[in-house]
Amino acid sequence: MYIPSRVCWRHLRQILRQSCLRNLSSTTQDVPHVCIVGSGPAGFYTAQQILKGHPGAKVDIVEKLPVPFGLVRFGVAPDHPEVKNVINTFTTTARNERCTFMGNVHVGKDVSIEELQRAYTAVVLAYGADDDRTLAIKGEDNPNVISARSFVGWFNGLPQDKGLKVDLDAENVVILGQGNVALDVARILLTPISILKKTDISQHALEALSRSRVRKVYLVGRRGPLQVAFTIKELREMIKLPDCRPVIHKEDVSCLKQVIADLPRPRKRLTDLLYKTALEPSDTDTRLWAQAAKEWELRFKLTPAEVMEREGKVTGVKFYINQLQGDDLVNKVAIATSETEEIECGLVFRSIGYKSIPIDPNLPFDERKGIILNQKGRVQDRPGLYCSGWVSTGPVGVILNTMTEGFETGKRILKDIEEGVVSSEGKPGSQAIREKLQSAGKQIVSFSDWDKIDLEEIQRGTPIGKPREKIVDIEEMLQVAHS
């Protein structure tokens, strides 16, 4: 074979590898069958990489709910429709002839991971973080201390949270945490109903929020303004929220001007905005804020010590006042002192992080971190078993981070297939699983079935001026899917 000098050997190897993969794909028994558990961003991005990287690989995406898209559907705030545009990419992946969506299948209940591994070349766990971290303080079990994760599920139509009791008959609310989810909760509580009613927010949440008495929201963090976890986009939205003023105390941020120039660019822009909002607001902002009926306030260096109650009702939160220690400007450590402060409120949201749960007792799992034990996506001591997304890394980053991590997991699976670390021999794929589920009378939802649910939701939203009205009952979803 004549090889021009300008063609590098690496490129030749890639050509030969692709040729070999095409030859493999023509042999039915050697076709890799990959099962991905979870249809959120981690699952779809991993599927996308596998389908792109192997011309014959078949991917089944298994989801416990009858509807796909996970955190994009149930975690992204309803007033952020642009973030949900990634659903278009996921839909393209799902419609690939080598990709199959299997909804309403609960792994760990309807089928075990061991059964999946016997049927598939590789199994990827990408089911996200379905639990949240707790404070372990007195009063935390009061009904008016609510998980931010559950509240987000409530206003986004997640079936498991549709019955959440949210008592909005309180003027003051405390949110424990200063990440993007905390800001999402605050924004939904303070956004005018006239704006929310044009989104896909669930109707039961819209009706409850329309009766809300909430006028002030405190966003409380353990550390200082240089350690906040929210991003500049979310902060800008909060600052520009109609009929609402930000309260950022000058004494908290006045010392930041001298260090702003030395910060990494994203942190620099965020810190500069905090500083200017407190000390250099525009005349227009000052005038609008003076007329606002609602407000939100950032509070720093406070660790929750107790949720205070009287006659079963939340009356406030007691905090330890912290000191920050460490030489690093951003990565300082909060140390609680014996001094305390109290903030009065009638409702508390806990927004201190999510964690994953093991869906199978045989999974190697780190209970403290809330992740599956793994080495770069390969599950510890379980050849052929992988994990992707938050169940692998913990709840960090945004969708872009999950995309990168999902692509990398997909590449590792393809590499293991190519090198023979995992084998496709004797792996029937979904056939064996479908037979088991169907014999048990399980109703499997296909992607074309989801199309029916999608259309029904859009049609329900149209008369009331919403992009969709989500179905929040699983049985109703199944009825629509198979109508």
Side-chain angles (χ1 to χ4, degrees):
M1 179 188 295
Y2 170 68
I3 304 173
S5 58
R6 67 177 181 272
V7 178
C8 68
W9 284 104
R10 181 180 178 186
H11 182 58
L12 177 60
R13 285 196 298 269
Q14 288 176 338
I15 294 172
L16 291 173
R17 177 190 170 199
Q18 290 171 356
S19 176
C20 290
L21 288 174
R22 280 193 293 270
N23 289 336
L24 278 174
S25 66
S26 65
T27 308
T28 304
Q29 63 266 30
D30 289 330
V31 169
H33 293 268
V34 179
C35 177
I36 297 176
V37 180
S39 67
F44 267 105
Y45 284 127
T46 304
Q48 183 179 331
Q49 184 62 46
I50 292 169
L51 292 167
K52 175 185 175 183
H54 194 295
K58 295 184 177 180
V59 176
D60 293 338
I61 300 176
V62 178
E63 167 61 52
K64 70 176 180 180
L65 290 172
V67 294
F69 309 133
L71 199 63
V72 178
R73 176 178 166 95
F74 296 117
V76 174
D79 58 342
H80 283 175
E82 72 285 352
V83 180
K84 300 182 184 183
N85 287 338
V86 294
I87 284 176
N88 297 327
T89 301
F90 299 163
T91 297
T92 300
T93 298
R95 296 198 194 287
N96 186 305
E97 62 181 7
R98 292 182 287 121
C99 184
T100 301
F101 174 75
M102 299 170 64
N104 196 41
V105 177
H106 194 162
V107 175
K109 181 180 178 182
D110 299 323
V111 61
S112 70
I113 292 175
E114 286 78 7
E115 288 173 313
L116 291 179
Q117 283 203 269
R118 286 196 294 269
Y120 289 91
T121 309
V123 175
V124 187
L125 304 177
Y127 58 83
D130 284 339
D131 203 358
D132 56 332
R133 301 189 182 280
T134 57
L135 296 161
I137 60 174
K138 183 180 178 182
E140 187 179 9
D141 59 351
N142 188 287
N144 260 24
V145 179
I146 298 174
S147 154
R149 177 188 57 81
S150 297
F151 184 67
V152 171
W154 175 74
F155 65 63
N156 269 330
L158 183 60
Q160 70 187 46
D161 294 320
K162 64 180 180 181
L164 185 70
K165 304 298 182 185
V166 183
D167 182 4
L168 297 172
D169 188 27
E171 290 194 6
N172 290 1
V173 173
V174 166
I175 301 175
L176 303 172
Q178 291 181 336
N180 281 344
V181 175
L183 262 63
D184 282 348
V185 171
R187 199 176 61 255
I188 294 300
L189 289 171
L190 297 170
T191 295
I193 293 299
S194 60
I195 295 175
L196 290 180
K197 70 180 183 180
K198 297 175 184 178
T199 73
D200 68 355
I201 190 170
S202 292
Q203 195 64 23
H204 60 255
L206 186 65
E207 291 171 0
L209 288 163
S210 68
R211 300 188 297 270
S212 169
R213 291 182 56 239
V214 174
R215 293 294 176 268
K216 176 155 188 173
V217 175
Y218 295 90
L219 289 143
V220 184
R222 294 185 304 110
R223 299 189 290 171
L226 285 174
Q227 290 80 40
V228 294
F230 51 73
T231 52
I232 191 168
K233 175 181 179 293
E234 281 67 26
L235 177 60
R236 281 202 196 100
E237 286 181 317
M238 290 296 293
I239 291 170
K240 298 298 182 181
L241 205 56
D243 197 29
C244 192
R245 76 180 143 265
V247 178
I248 303 172
H249 297 286
K250 294 179 180 180
E251 59 268 26
D252 286 329
V253 297
S254 59
C255 61
L256 298 178
K257 191 170 184 63
Q258 58 191 347
V259 303
I260 288 175
D262 299 325
L263 297 171
R265 187 172 182 272
R267 178 65 62 176
K268 179 190 299 184
R269 294 170 61 232
L270 175 62
T271 305
D272 187 57
L273 182 57
L274 286 169
Y275 177 86
K276 289 180 177 177
T277 302
L279 291 135
E280 301 175 2
S282 69
D283 292 340
T284 300
D285 283 341
T286 300
R287 185 179 69 256
L288 290 173
W289 295 342
Q291 300 168 356
K294 300 178 182 180
E295 69 178 28
W296 58 272
E297 180 175 336
L298 285 176
R299 295 300 310 275
F300 300 106
K301 296 188 287 187
L302 297 173
T303 291
E306 174 189 347
V307 176
M308 300 182 297
E309 302 170 285
R310 185 170 57 247
E311 298 178 354
K313 294 185 176 296
V314 170
T315 60
V317 182
K318 179 186 286 187
F319 295 90
Y320 294 115
I321 299 174
N322 297 333
Q323 292 182 345
L324 300 185
Q325 296 182 1
D327 297 328
D328 190 308
L329 277 175
V330 177
N331 298 312
K332 288 187 178 293
V333 177
I335 305 297
T337 69
S338 58
E339 293 184 77
T340 61
E341 178 180 339
E342 296 178 2
I343 298 179
E344 292 184 1
C345 67
L347 178 61
V348 178
F349 288 96
R350 181 183 59 236
S351 185
I352 58 172
Y354 297 175
K355 64 178 182 179
S356 297
I357 56 176
I359 60 172
D360 189 294
N362 297 318
L363 274 179
F365 197 82
D366 187 323
E367 294 286 353
R368 185 180 64 84
K369 294 181 179 179
I371 62 172
I372 296 171
L373 294 171
N374 70 97
Q375 290 292 326
K376 296 183 177 181
R378 297 180 177 95
V379 175
Q380 182 176 294
D381 301 325
R382 295 287 293 271
L385 187 61
Y386 303 81
C387 54
S388 183
W390 284 4
V391 76
S392 169
T393 63
V396 293
V398 293
I399 290 176
L400 180 61
N401 303 93
T402 303
M403 179 183 72
T404 302
E405 209 264 332
F407 284 171
E408 289 302 314
T409 301
K411 290 176 183 176
R412 291 186 193 104
I413 293 169
L414 292 173
K415 185 173 184 292
D416 287 351
I417 291 171
E418 179 188 2
E419 295 180 352
V421 175
V422 293
S423 172
S424 302
E425 187 175 351
K427 303 289 186 176
S430 63
Q431 180 182 347
I433 302 304
R434 284 184 177 278
E435 289 175 356
K436 170 185 168 63
L437 295 172
Q438 289 169 352
S439 65
K442 190 67 180 178
Q443 189 174 342
I444 301 173
V445 176
S446 68
F447 203 76
S448 59
D449 292 332
W450 150 247
D451 285 337
K452 297 178 185 177
I453 298 173
D454 184 33
L455 179 60
E456 177 66 21
E457 290 183 342
I458 292 171
Q459 290 176 340
R460 291 185 185 190
T462 300
I464 52 178
K466 298 172 68 175
R468 72 173 60 239
E469 180 57 42
K470 292 177 184 172
I471 301 172
V472 298
D473 182 78
I474 289 178
E475 287 304 317
E476 188 176 0
M477 289 178 183
L478 295 175
Q479 289 174 9
V480 173
H482 292 90
S483 59

